[in-house]
Amino acid sequence: LDPTENQEQALRSHAGAVRLAYNHALYEIYQNWNAVKKGEETEYLKTNHYAIRKRFNKIKDEKYPWWNENSKEAYSTGAMNAARAFQNYFDGRSRPPKYKKKSPYSDTEGIIFTTGVRRLDDNRHFTLPKIGKMRLHENAKKLSWLLHNDAKIGNVTVKYQQSRWKLNVTMQVPDDLFLKYVDQRTKRDKKKIVGIDLGIRKAAVFSDGTVIENPKAFERNVRKLRRLNKELSRRKKWNRQTGEVASHRWMKTKRKLEKQHGKIVNYRVDHAHKLSRHVVDDFKVIGLEDLNVRGMIQGKNMGRSVNDANFGRIRRFIEYKSAWYGSQVGFVDRFYPSSKTCSNCGEVKAKLSRNATVFSCDSCGHRMDRDLNAALNIERKVAQSYGETLNGHGDDGSGSDDSE
C-alpha cells in the first residue's frame, strides 16, 4: 500500500484499537481469575471470541466513548486474537498471554475486515471502511481478473510489516474456475511415489536421486544483520518512559534492518513454494518424516540452522498443495531410524555420527550417500502403507513405463 499521511494515521489508530481490545480482554479475564482464586467470584469468564466481544460491546460506550472513530472490525480482531491466545495456552501450545505494548516503530497486529466496504476500485486503488480509497503500490491485475470471473472478496487483512503497510485479500473463487485451474495440474503424468529426506546440509534429497540445495537465507545475510543491529544500537532510540521520539537516523536504520529480515523471509517462502510445487507436480504419493521441529530448534547448537532449513513451512506447503493437485502425503514416524537403516538389506546400524555424510552397512557392505539412503527408506516405508512395492525411481520394478 501507498497510504497518504492521513490514511496512515487512521491505520495506526486501527492497529491501536486492535491492541486496546486485546489488552482489555486480558485484563478482564485475569482480574476474574484472581477474584475466583480469592473466593470473591464463583464462575470463570468465558474466553471464546463471541463472549469476549459481547463483554467489550457492553462497556465500550461508557469506557471508550471515542471507539467509533475506528471500524468495529478492529475491536473484533483484538477479541479474536485474545480468544486464540487463550486457546493456545489451554492446549499447551504457548504460555499465558501477555499484554501488548505500544510502539510506533514496530510491526502492528493485522486488522481483519470481514464486513463493510471491501472494494477494488481499479488496478491501483482499494477501498476499506473508515480508511477510504487507498493507492496500491503494486498492480492488482490478478485480483481484477479473478473478480471479472465471478470471484468475490472475502476477508481483508491490513498490517504494518517490514516498514510497509501490506494488504492481504482472501478470495472466494467459484468451483468451476478453481477446478479448471487445478485440472491443468492434475492431468499431468506423474511418477508413482517418492521419499524425501529434509535436511540442513541439503534442503531435500529425493529417493530418485534429485538433490535440492539449501539456500541458507539467514546464513547468507547474517553479516548484514549484525552490522545493522550494531548501527541501530548506536542511534538515539524511542524512550517509552519519557515519550522522547527516536532520531531520524534510528528510524532509517530500523527500516533497513526490517527490510533485510523481510528479504530473508521472502527467500525462505520462495524456496518452499518452488520445492513443494515441484514435488506435487511430479509425484502421486509423497513420503515425508514426521519431524519434531520444535524439539530440534531447542537442541544444542542446531536452532538457527533448523530454523533456516524451513522444515515446517515446506511440510505445510506440500500438504495443502497435494490436496489441490491430486497427490497424497504419507508420513513416517519420527522415531523410525531412516538414516541408520540400510536401504539394501534392512539392517539397522547401532550408531551413526551426525557428521557422517556416507552410510556404510556393517552387514552387507553397501555404501551410499546418507541422505539418499534415508530417502529410499522413507519411500519404502510409505509404499508399505499404500500397498505398493516401488523402487527409488517411481516405477514398480517390472521395467515397464505406465505413461507409454
Side-chain angles (χ1 to χ4, degrees):
L1 292 173
D2 287 329
T4 64
E5 192 174 334
N6 289 337
Q7 286 172 341
E8 185 162 6
Q9 246 181 351
L11 289 169
R12 288 280 179 193
S13 180
H14 276 70
V18 173
R19 186 179 63 254
L20 170 74
Y22 179 90
N23 286 343
H24 176 85
L26 263 61
Y27 176 78
E28 198 174 40
I29 291 167
Y30 285 148
Q31 288 291 99
N32 169 256
W33 287 3
N34 290 332
V36 171
K37 193 175 181 180
K38 294 175 182 177
E40 298 170 2
E41 293 184 24
T42 56
E43 292 185 359
Y44 287 103
L45 292 177
K46 293 181 178 179
T47 58
N48 60 68
H49 179 207
Y50 175 76
I52 292 173
R53 188 173 178 181
K54 187 177 180 181
R55 291 195 297 269
F56 182 82
N57 287 340
K58 284 183 180 179
I59 58 93
K60 64 183 181 183
D61 288 321
E62 180 184 348
K63 199 167 183 179
Y64 310 112
W66 41 263
W67 73 269
N68 201 32
E69 294 175 7
N70 301 306
S71 170
K72 63 184 178 65
E73 297 292 347
Y75 305 103
S76 177
T77 302
M80 182 183 67
N81 291 347
R84 187 184 294 121
F86 277 108
Q87 191 60 51
N88 288 337
Y89 170 54
F90 296 148
D91 292 343
R93 291 193 293 268
S94 67
R95 294 179 179 180
K98 293 182 179 180
Y99 294 104
K100 302 285 185 185
K101 295 179 181 179
K102 179 180 179 180
S103 175
Y105 308 109
S106 299
D107 294 353
T108 66
E109 295 290 322
I111 309 133
I112 303 174
F113 294 89
T114 58
T115 58
V117 181
R118 292 154 292 151
R119 182 178 66 240
L120 182 70
D121 299 289
D122 53 56
N123 288 356
R124 281 292 188 179
H125 295 90
F126 201 96
T127 300
L128 287 173
K130 295 283 188 178
I131 309 294
K133 187 176 180 179
M134 291 185 293
R135 180 172 171 79
L136 302 175
H137 185 74
E138 299 173 301
N139 195 311
K141 58 184 179 182
K142 289 184 180 178
L143 186 60
S144 179
W145 179 84
L146 285 170
L147 291 170
H148 280 103
N149 284 274
D150 299 326
K152 294 181 180 179
I153 293 175
N155 295 348
V156 176
T157 305
V158 182
K159 68 188 305 183
Y160 186 76
Q161 193 176 34
Q162 298 160 11
S163 298
R164 291 206 70 92
W165 285 100
K166 297 185 179 181
L167 182 81
N168 299 323
V169 183
T170 304
M171 300 297 294
Q172 298 171 359
V173 181
D175 290 342
D176 55 344
L177 181 64
F178 177 74
L179 291 173
K180 181 181 177 182
Y181 175 75
V182 170
D183 282 346
Q184 296 172 2
R185 307 293 184 276
T186 55
K187 287 179 180 177
R188 294 181 55 172
D189 291 332
K190 297 185 180 184
K191 298 175 186 177
K192 284 190 175 180
I193 192 167
V194 69
I196 302 175
D197 180 63
L198 300 177
I200 294 174
R201 291 189 187 92
K202 300 165 187 172
V205 176
F206 295 11
S207 53
D208 63 359
T210 304
V211 176
I212 307 294
E213 295 298 330
N214 186 351
K216 297 183 179 179
F218 187 84
E219 290 298 328
R220 285 164 52 188
N221 291 275
V222 69
R223 289 183 68 183
K224 290 181 181 177
L225 292 175
R226 283 174 181 160
R227 179 178 58 79
L228 288 170
N229 273 304
K230 287 180 181 179
E231 186 178 305
L232 187 70
S233 68
R234 292 193 294 267
R235 307 288 187 232
K236 180 183 174 183
K237 64 179 181 179
W238 175 56
N239 192 316
R240 189 185 301 276
Q241 280 73 33
T242 63
E244 191 175 9
V245 298
S247 68
H248 288 291
R249 281 182 155 191
W250 187 92
M251 290 189 284
K252 186 177 178 180
T253 306
K254 184 80 160 62
R255 282 193 291 269
K256 286 181 183 178
L257 184 61
E258 288 175 348
K259 285 180 181 179
Q260 197 62 42
H261 277 294
K263 285 181 181 180
I264 293 170
V265 173
N266 292 339
Y267 282 143
R268 289 174 176 173
V269 172
D270 179 68
H271 173 256
H273 272 303
K274 288 175 179 175
L275 171 57
S276 58
R277 182 59 177 275
H278 167 61
V279 171
V280 299
D281 275 354
D282 288 355
F283 299 99
K284 291 179 182 176
V285 180
I286 302 153
L288 295 170
E289 283 183 293
D290 183 22
L291 298 172
N292 179 18
V293 179
R294 183 177 293 181
M296 293 169 71
I297 289 171
Q298 293 171 354
K300 186 178 179 181
N301 302 327
M302 284 186 64
R304 196 166 82 180
S305 298
V306 172
N307 264 326
D308 211 15
N310 222 8
F311 294 146
R313 184 179 280 116
I314 290 171
R315 170 176 171 162
R316 288 196 305 273
F317 285 9
I318 289 176
E319 283 187 284
Y320 86 76
K321 289 181 184 181
S322 297
W324 283 9
Y325 301 134
S327 299
Q328 293 176 298
V329 184
F331 291 102
V332 172
D333 185 80
R334 64 183 57 172
F335 299 110
Y336 172 65
S338 60
S339 295
K340 294 181 180 180
T341 303
C342 178
S343 59
N344 186 49
C345 67
E347 184 74 18
V348 180
K349 203 176 181 72
K351 287 184 179 181
L352 184 64
S353 170
R354 187 184 294 174
N355 298 324
T357 57
V358 177
F359 176 87
S360 179
C361 181
D362 300 329
S363 179
C364 68
H366 179 66
R367 284 174 61 86
M368 73 183 314
D369 180 79
R370 171 198 180 123
D371 298 327
L372 178 58
N373 178 71
L376 288 167
N377 288 324
I378 293 167
E379 182 202 294
R380 187 173 290 112
K381 194 75 173 175
V382 171
Q384 291 172 2
S385 303
Y386 284 87
E388 298 178 41
T389 306
L390 302 164
N391 65 21
H393 297 283
D395 57 35
D396 56 8
S398 62
S400 63
D401 188 349
D402 293 339
S403 62
E404 291 181 350

